């Protein structure tokens, strides 16, 4: 059944409660939504942070690599593979969205497998989503500018259409060109149905941290996104340590923040 309103705010009661708890206004600016929570967690056991819908995450947590993802159940009528899109509709700030959306991540070719040993991992996802290819647009961690209220970082999951490629009007998006994305328009142009699952968190830059702007629209995102493969920014250590749940390599790893450098 379709959600009664077409906003993320209405996606689940949990979303509403979480956003109310955070005192955040969630503008009804999405024409797509999902009743199903995309399970997501950052970090490596034992330091795992589960993304509760609407939670305000410490700046250090969602970096440098994407979260582990999962589902409570196999979406009915789907066989996979699946695809994930992450977007920030609040750039440069929730009050001034002139750069929005910022595209943070497009990952295709995601498999879904039952989690064989949930109790042994730090992440007890019943079903684990794992990427089987490099991202189409690499993950860029949140980089809200200094002084901005928290931004929303929203994940959407779809079953991937056969032969999927970036639709007309969206082929310019890549690792260095992320501004003025429109996930609703993207979904419409690609002929995607309602998302199978969604989730979001909030993140803001600590007052004592500064940032340098880049042309990508994600402040500092170019180096941050590249950190998983090439040059890690000086302030992060750790890098891509693969989480393993039930023998499956899953999306997710995080670096430890050296607070002294920031
Ligand atoms: C909104 O942000 C853009 C980009 O930073 C800036 O150029 C513009 O002046 C801002 N608009 C307002 C009304 O503050
Ligand atoms: C999954 O994506 C990561 C980057 O997020 C990449 O480093 C890794 O090689 C990918 N896994 C596979 C099997 O392609
Ligand atoms: C991204 O696309 C732009 C054109 O839209 C192009 O100039 C740039 O080289 C591309 N960057 C990468 C990393 O592919
Ligand atoms: C984004 O796409 C939706 C759906 O196509 C459209 O209604 C909306 O006007 C677009 N937003 C912007 C800012 O272009
Ligand atoms: C910034 O603030 C955080 C927490 O408020 C603190 O842990 C950190 O050491 C501070 N960093 C600097 C460079 O002052």
């Amino acid at each position: 059944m379709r959600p009664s309103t077409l906003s993320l705010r209405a996606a689940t009661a949990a979303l509403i409660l979480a956003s109310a708890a955070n005192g955040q206004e969630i503008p009804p600016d999405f024409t797509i939504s999902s009743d199903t929570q995309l399970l997501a967690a950052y970090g490596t056991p034992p330091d795992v942070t589960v993304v509760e819908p609407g939670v305000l995450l410490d700046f250090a947590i969602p970096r440098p690599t994407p979260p582990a993802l999962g589902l409570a159940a196999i979406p009915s009528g789907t066989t996979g593979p699946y695809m994930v899109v992450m977007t920030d509709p609040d750039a440069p700030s929730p009050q001034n969205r002139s750069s929005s959306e910022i595209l943070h991540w497009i990952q295709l070719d995601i498999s879904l497998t039952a989690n064989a040993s949930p109790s042994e991992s730090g992440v007890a996802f019943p079903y684990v989503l794992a990427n089987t290819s490099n991202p189409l647009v690499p993950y860029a961690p949140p980089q809200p500018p200094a002084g901005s209220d928290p931004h929303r970082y929203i994940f959407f999951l779809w079953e991937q259409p056969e032969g999927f490629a970036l639709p007309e009007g969206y082929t310019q998006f890549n690792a260095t060109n992320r501004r003025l994305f429109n996930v609703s328009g993207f979904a419409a142009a690609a002929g995607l149905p309602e998302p199978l699952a969604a989730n979001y968190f909030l993140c803001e830059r600590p007052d004592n941290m500064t940032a340098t702007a880049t042309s990508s629209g994600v402040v500092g995102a170019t180096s941050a996104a590249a950190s998983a493969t090439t040059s890690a920014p000086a302030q992060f250590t750790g890098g891509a340590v693969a989480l393993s749940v039930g023998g499956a390599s899953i999306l997710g790893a995080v670096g430890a923040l050296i607070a002294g450098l920031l």
Side-chain angles (χ1 to χ4, degrees), residues 92 96-99 179:
N96 173 3
R97 304 171 67 236
S98 62
S99 303
R179 294 160 59 100

Side-chain angles (χ1 to χ4, degrees), residues 171-177:
T171 53
Q172 73 275 25
F173 287 97
N174 60 30
T176 56
N177 188 22

Side-chain angles (χ1 to χ4, degrees), residues 4 17-18 35 77 98 114 134 137 148 160 186 211 217 232 234 243 254 257:
S4 56
L17 291 173
D35 287 326
S98 62
N134 284 318
V137 175
S148 169
Q160 181 178 325
F186 165 85
L243 260 180
V254 76
L257 194 63

Side-chain angles (χ1 to χ4, degrees), residues 206 208-209 259-262:
N208 60 5
M209 286 182 58
L261 293 178
L262 299 176

Side-chain angles (χ1 to χ4, degrees), residues 108-205:
L108 307 181
D109 306 327
I110 298 174
S111 65
L112 182 67
T113 50
N115 188 351
S117 54
S119 59
E120 288 171 20
S121 73
V123 189
F125 295 163
Y127 291 87
V128 172
L129 291 159
N131 66 310
T132 64
S133 69
N134 284 318
L136 189 60
V137 175
Y139 176 80
Q143 297 286 356
S148 169
D149 282 345
H151 292 202
R152 292 165 296 163
Y153 296 90
I154 307 171
F155 302 95
F156 292 104
L157 180 82
W158 284 277
E159 188 172 36
Q160 181 178 325
E162 199 159 337
F164 179 85
L166 289 175
E168 196 180 331
Y170 292 83
T171 53
Q172 73 275 25
F173 287 97
N174 60 30
T176 56
N177 188 22
R178 299 170 181 270
R179 294 160 59 100
L180 302 176
F181 185 64
N182 180 345
V183 72
S184 310
F186 165 85
L192 298 172
E194 289 285 303
L196 297 169
N199 200 347
Y200 80 104
F201 64 90
L202 302 168
C203 192
E204 68 183 332
R205 184 174 297 269

